[in-house]
Amino acid sequence: MPEFYADPAPIVRDIAEMIRPPRRVSVSECAREVVRIETPGGYAGPWDSSLTPYMIEPMDLLKSRRHEAVVFVSPARTGKTQALLDGWLAHSVVADPGDMGLYFSTQTLAYDYRKRRIERMHRHCPALQAKLSPRKHDTTIEMVTYRHGMILNLGWPSSSQLAQRDLRYVAMSDYDSFPDDIGGEGSAFDLGKKRVQVAMSAGMALVESSPKRAITTNQWTPDGPHMAPPVAGGVLQLYNRGDRRRWLWECLD
């Protein structure tokens, strides 16, 4: 009788995903290639950097080996979530995989982001869909596993969520809605940075938010260029700890 053997090709392809070298492509370039936006009753098409040119520099700095974090401050509805969270996630999955944690101010918002954005990206972006693990138990409401072994965790600011995880990438959205102290262990930003230390210079932490905290005093003198006013915690305090870059619009007149 003829003997039939299993085809090893799918297994070899899955293993190849784990050892494939990272693509040398910036986060913004990868987002233009991969991310497709499908909003009910709104825009449908690829992510377009020309609509938000100020997002290109912070996106590309997410792959910097000379910086440990990117802190982005802007008004609401300026495209920062699509660029920094959706775009960085797409680059991490397609170009340079590593375990990633996305943190939101509440558990409800974390689940909402998964349903409203991640699942739609997986559905409408073929490059991302191809990277999903075919095993159903690899995907839960708080975790997504990809073919090459990358794990995406969704969390919120609690000591259990920000402890005992070795991650390469950490992103925190709407940081001014986070509590200033997480279970008596310090700020969410400092706890998140600890999670990526295992990746050394390849690790990166991201914080993005619109400023919401009250200014503590009107009597202050900027200590250097572009310094933000003193506030009670939040993202502007983190911004002042960095190199304080700003986007300046060119006058059209």
Side-chain angles (χ1 to χ4, degrees), residues 60-70 168 193 199-205 241-243 245:
D60 293 344
L61 281 171
L62 291 168
K63 293 307 300 175
S64 171
R65 303 294 287 261
R66 305 179 71 177
H67 300 82
E68 62 181 4
V70 172
R168 185 177 177 188
K193 278 205 308 175
M200 296 184 287
S201 65
M204 178 59 69
R241 287 164 56 176
D243 53 13
R245 306 182 191 186

Side-chain angles (χ1 to χ4, degrees), residues 14-180:
D14 283 349
I15 294 174
E17 285 290 331
M18 298 179 185
I19 61 174
R20 192 186 303 276
R23 285 183 59 198
R24 296 185 179 274
V25 60
S26 68
V27 176
S28 60
E29 290 173 354
C30 186
R32 282 192 289 265
E33 294 174 8
V34 172
V35 177
R36 182 175 177 83
I37 300 168
E38 297 280 349
T39 55
Y43 172 75
W47 179 76
D48 186 359
S49 61
S50 67
L51 297 176
T52 54
Y54 46 84
M55 297 306 311
I56 295 175
E57 182 180 9
M59 289 176 76
D60 293 344
L61 281 171
L62 291 168
K63 293 307 300 175
S64 171
R65 303 294 287 261
R66 305 179 71 177
H67 300 82
E68 62 181 4
V70 172
V71 177
F72 186 80
V73 187
S74 78
R77 314 310 301 172
T78 51
K80 56 184 180 293
T81 302
Q82 283 182 343
L84 295 174
L85 269 65
D86 299 356
W88 194 21
L89 172 60
H91 181 277
S92 301
V93 172
V94 173
D96 196 5
D99 287 352
M100 188 176 203
L102 300 182
Y103 293 91
F104 301 85
S105 56
T106 66
Q107 181 178 355
T108 300
L109 288 174
Y111 291 169
D112 183 84
Y113 181 85
R114 182 213 159 79
K115 196 73 179 176
R116 199 178 302 273
R117 304 186 78 97
I118 294 179
E119 290 188 8
R120 284 175 178 168
M121 284 214 323
H122 287 159
R123 190 180 309 122
H124 298 296
C125 304
L128 292 178
Q129 192 177 69
K131 299 293 185 181
L132 279 172
S133 170
R135 296 178 288 272
K136 292 186 180 296
H137 62 269
D138 279 348
T139 298
T140 67
I141 196 169
E142 295 179 16
M143 184 175 70
V144 180
T145 304
Y146 296 89
R147 285 181 179 271
H148 40 49
M150 172 182 166
I151 297 174
L152 170 67
N153 289 103
L154 296 174
W156 48 93
S158 69
S159 55
S160 60
Q161 289 284 335
L162 287 164
Q164 298 181 348
R165 286 179 178 173
D166 291 334
L167 302 169
R168 185 177 177 188
Y169 310 121
V170 163
M172 299 182 181
S173 180
D174 192 21
Y175 188 78
D176 270 19
S177 297
F178 283 41
D180 290 329

Side-chain angles (χ1 to χ4, degrees), residues 12 16 74-75 84 88 97 124 128 178-179 193 208 211 213 218-219 227 236 240:
V12 173
S74 78
L84 295 174
W88 194 21
H124 298 296
L128 292 178
F178 283 41
K193 278 205 308 175
E208 62 88 1
R213 303 299 180 91
N218 291 324
Q219 304 297 321
M227 189 169 185
L236 286 181
N240 282 338

